[in-house]
Amino acid sequence: MPSIPCAAITFFKQSDIRIFIIVRVGGTENPDKRFECVLKQLGAYGPKYFWIQVGLPFTTAQIEGSCPDSDRAESMEGSIETDTAVMDPALIETRIGPAGKTLPELYRQFLIEYPARLADARMKTIRGFDLRFDSVMSAALALNQTLQSWNYSDEMQLGNSSFKAELMRNILKLDFIGLSGRVVFDSNGDRTSVVMIYQLRNLSRHLVGTYDPIENVLNWTSKFWFAGGSPPVDAPELLTRQLQLSEAGTIALTSASSIGIAVSIATVAVNFHYRELRLIKMSSPLVNNVIGAGCLMCYASCIVMAVNSHWAVSTGLCWTQTALLTIGYSAAFGAMLAKTWRVHRIFTNVKLRRVAIKDSHLFAVILLVLATDIVLLIAWGIIDPLTVKSVSLPS
């Protein structure tokens, strides 16, 4: 086999192509370079590959000088071959002809009636006898039909283009039962025959289906066998997958946030329990509780984010996460801002006048910050609400 097919197969392997259709004439291949031997050398066989051979592959034929049959059987295992009912050697010797006899029987009768044919080297085998007979019969029937509708004489020129066109039309109209089966021609003048579909198992043909182009009927007689249990994939498989937080990341984030929530609750509980102590009382324990509640909401927003990024994605969870983070952050830092503002007022009192800043004043600052957040969230929801959208990233 020339090096060009080898290079082509190597290129297709590198391109990850796995299902092939090859037109092959096995008789033209060198014995040591038979196609199945080359496949064995290149490794283009097995569960990943599937070969469909049309033409005259002669895969099952043993040729001296070829690679071992074990290599050929391994490289061609499960491949498909097609043949025609006209040329299939398995059918030629068993087909019952129009005379009610098999082809070998008709051939023996022919040789008895025409013993001179025994000297013809081309007629020492039954292979092709039926095709030769049907070819002559087709020509005779078409000529007979053409001459019946044509004004002719002994001096008629058979090369006349009109005569040849009429003869061709009559050939295309032929439909009779010959020695090789039903004789019908397609629009190109080629013999139309039932296509036999075989699958190779250990260099033996197994019929899996037939196709009748005349009736346009495809008939499967058995299931295909695949080395890997299923047909090989001949194209990249595109998997659509949602990008999400990993399970390990979700567990880590949820655990850390849960610890933060526990610390926030413990801090608020200690602050509430010792609220009458002088130092805690001076630090405004109610405002401290607001700071703790704000931290708790921030940690809770992290848990909602983990759930929304790993298990379920919804607009409701998006809004919950946004609201918890926004209000929690504003509550915690708003309370600290209010307390910082009170300290600032006290220590910037140049005239040392008594300044009474009650917790109600601090809560007014906190509520102002929270009200601003709430207004912005409402406006956001009305003007440009959050929506869940699927976006396909480049492959």
Side-chain angles (χ1 to χ4, degrees):
M1 178 176 289
S3 60
I4 294 179
C6 297
I9 294 174
T10 302
F11 171 77
F12 290 141
K13 279 190 61 182
Q14 294 173 349
S15 302
D16 203 24
I17 296 175
R18 305 182 182 184
I19 300 178
F20 301 85
I21 300 177
I22 178 174
V23 180
R24 180 185 174 196
V25 180
T28 63
E29 300 171 357
N30 296 328
D32 60 336
K33 293 292 184 182
R34 295 183 70 176
F35 182 71
E36 54 267 30
C37 299
V38 173
L39 292 186
K40 175 66 177 179
Q41 295 172 3
L42 298 178
Y45 64 93
K48 288 178 57 178
Y49 300 97
F50 195 79
W51 291 91
I52 302 173
Q53 303 182 86
V54 297
L56 300 171
F58 299 130
T59 307
T60 58
Q62 293 183 341
I63 301 177
E64 186 177 355
S66 177
C67 61
D69 287 349
S70 58
D71 290 350
R72 296 174 50 235
E74 185 177 6
S75 62
M76 286 284 98
E77 186 71 3
S79 65
I80 297 298
E81 282 187 2
T82 61
D83 208 336
T84 63
V86 173
M87 297 297 295
D88 192 339
L91 301 177
I92 288 176
E93 300 187 13
T94 59
R95 183 188 299 115
I96 303 298
K101 298 180 179 181
T102 63
L103 184 57
E105 293 172 342
L106 290 172
Y107 183 60
R108 285 193 293 269
Q109 181 180 351
F110 173 79
L111 294 180
I112 292 173
E113 296 183 9
Y114 302 94
R117 290 291 184 178
L118 287 172
D120 189 345
R122 294 174 299 173
M123 294 300 298
K124 290 182 179 180
T125 173
I126 61 174
R127 291 293 303 272
F129 172 74
D130 54 346
L131 295 180
R132 295 188 185 99
F133 185 91
D134 289 344
S135 297
V136 174
M137 181 62 69
S138 299
L141 291 174
L143 277 170
N144 183 60
Q145 184 65 30
T146 304
L147 293 176
Q148 287 181 5
S149 59
W150 193 271
N151 294 324
Y152 65 94
S153 64
D154 294 338
E155 300 179 356
M156 177 183 173
Q157 298 294 327
L158 296 181
N160 184 287
S161 59
S162 299
F163 181 84
K164 289 193 294 184
E166 181 68 19
L167 178 63
M168 187 62 185
R169 282 193 291 269
N170 287 324
I171 290 177
L172 298 181
K173 293 178 183 178
L174 289 177
D175 188 352
F176 67 95
I177 302 299
L179 296 183
S180 60
R182 185 178 179 182
V183 179
V184 181
F185 299 92
D186 61 20
S187 59
N188 296 321
D190 296 323
R191 172 75 179 273
T192 301
S193 175
V194 174
V195 178
M196 316 299 292
I197 305 173
Y198 292 98
Q199 186 169 36
L200 294 178
R201 298 294 307 278
N202 196 25
L203 290 184
S204 297
R205 282 178 156 191
H206 296 269
L207 185 67
V208 293
T210 60
Y211 172 65
D212 187 349
I214 302 173
E215 304 295 337
N216 193 25
V217 174
L218 178 63
N219 179 36
W220 296 111
T221 58
S222 62
K223 294 183 178 180
F224 284 106
W225 175 87
F226 298 99
S230 61
V233 179
D234 193 36
E237 185 177 1
L238 182 61
L239 299 177
T240 302
R241 187 173 60 184
Q242 179 180 330
L243 294 179
Q244 58 187 16
L245 187 63
S246 66
E247 185 173 356
T250 303
I251 295 174
L253 181 59
T254 304
S255 300
S257 299
S258 299
I259 294 174
I261 291 175
V263 171
S264 299
I265 294 174
T267 303
V268 171
V270 170
N271 179 78
F272 179 78
H273 185 267
Y274 296 102
R275 64 185 180 278
E276 297 298 332
L277 290 179
R278 183 170 179 274
L279 291 178
I280 294 180
K281 191 172 183 179
M282 290 178 60
S283 66
S284 299
L286 292 178
V287 178
N288 293 339
N289 291 339
V290 173
I291 296 175
C295 293
L296 189 149
M297 285 190 287
C298 289
Y299 289 125
S301 72
C302 294
I303 294 179
V304 174
M305 180 187 68
V307 173
N308 197 29
S309 301
H310 181 73
W311 284 292
V313 178
S314 68
T315 306
L317 289 177
C318 290
W319 276 115
T320 302
Q321 174 191 340
T322 303
L324 285 174
L325 181 60
T326 303
I327 296 175
Y329 183 88
S330 297
F333 284 89
M336 285 190 288
L337 175 63
K339 294 178 69 172
T340 303
W341 168 74
R342 181 173 63 178
V343 173
H344 172 75
R345 287 290 306 273
I346 294 174
F347 284 93
T348 56
N349 183 12
V350 180
K351 297 182 180 180
L352 298 178
R353 293 178 181 176
R354 183 174 180 178
V355 178
I357 301 177
K358 300 180 180 180
D359 287 349
S360 59
H361 297 148
L362 301 182
F363 276 106
V365 174
I366 297 172
L367 290 176
L368 178 62
V369 174
L370 293 178
T372 303
D373 282 340
I374 293 173
V375 170
L376 291 176
L377 288 174
I378 293 174
W380 185 1
I382 296 174
I383 299 173
D384 187 19
L386 290 174
T387 57
V388 177
K389 183 179 180 181
S390 177
V391 179
S392 297
L393 300 177
S395 301

